[in-house]
Amino acid sequence: MPDKKCAESEQNDCVMPVRSANPIRARSLIRDNLEKQAGCLNLIHSRMPNIKVFSGTSHPDLAQRIVDRLGIDLGKVVTKKFSNLETCVEIGESVRGEDVYIVQSGSGEINDNLMELLIMINACKIASASRVTAVIPCFPYARQDKKDKLPGSEDNEESKKLAKKNYDWKFRSRAPISAKLVANMLSVAGADHIITMDLHASQIQGFFDIPVDNLYAEPAVLKWIKENIPEWKNSIIVSPDAGGAKRVTSIADRLNVEFALIHKERKKANEVASMVLVGDVKDKIAILVDDMADTCGTIVHAADRLVEAGATKVYAILTHGIFSGPAISRINNACFEAVVVTNTIPQDGHMRDCPKIQCIDVSMMFAEAVRRTHNGESVSYLFSNVPY
């Protein structure tokens, strides 16, 4: 004798409804049942659409590594410029109903690459893509995230000229918040989701009204330290400025070593009067950790200060190695054992020019973030683990 509950379950799962003496009623029940099943199928497809990954021109190598790990092919896209330097993007395959991911880093010709990303997002969106996710390993304009910047405080020639004009702090009220502007542009272009790594300020996530997954390079950095610095247990993690204190304390805690920081004192903009080391680095391996390095003036001065304080070796580990202006020559002449960066920005040219530069591949972290996002899984695992 079959169980009553099983019989009821079989009856509910049956496509055909219970027979009715009224033929109109019977047809209505059949239609309702079919529509219900079609609705369930549509729900499944809306949650799990097919996936397409496209690459911009800023970092095709990283995009190829991501799709290789995912086991799919890179989407076809043609990017070109007209004679007046306008950007033209042509998506070479259908994206209707697809889950689209566009990989474009904020490096090289940043303004052109940003515009290319916006056009690609919009092209996919108006081609009826189900969802468009911008994978931006290095977020452009991330350093312009607040209005308290003193004009001329950056380490470049134009800023030095500005600094000589003795700008007053009152000018900060007219400084732009360009990171917020970029966030608005991405949203208006049609982006539904952002995946990035090590934002210069975590609060930039709040500039968006769409989900933002800010991945961390920290798990990959810890792995590199343990595998490439034999005496890492006798190391000390150092922040080159007070703003990175939270970052270095997290790494030091996970390695169970001490940490230190360097406080910069300026007499005027662009000139570091002194660097005060807070912490004891004598007879230890100093590991400088920062989110990015542009002209490398700060980390080179910090390395010299650490050697003066008695550090036996100095390493620098940076998430985004921009290395513009005199950066490469400064690193070549500095006392670093190695300057380690991730490949959120292309590093092949930098590594050819400077043998001290080493690269950590983080494509597996972005690939896993894409896979988990596509499957509706949590990405919090990647905040403290490196996927293998």
Side-chain angles (χ1 to χ4, degrees), residues 68-89:
D68 287 346
R69 184 172 177 86
L70 292 172
I72 61 177
D73 294 326
L74 203 57
K76 298 176 183 177
V77 60
V78 176
T79 304
K80 57 187 178 182
K81 289 185 181 295
F82 295 123
S83 58
N84 65 348
L85 300 182
E86 285 185 359
T87 299
C88 176
V89 173

Side-chain angles (χ1 to χ4, degrees), residues 365-383:
M365 302 189 74
F366 285 103
E368 184 66 10
V370 168
R371 188 194 69 79
R372 286 171 175 261
T373 301
H374 176 66
N375 292 330
E377 301 173 15
S378 171
V379 299
S380 59
Y381 171 84
L382 300 176
F383 296 161

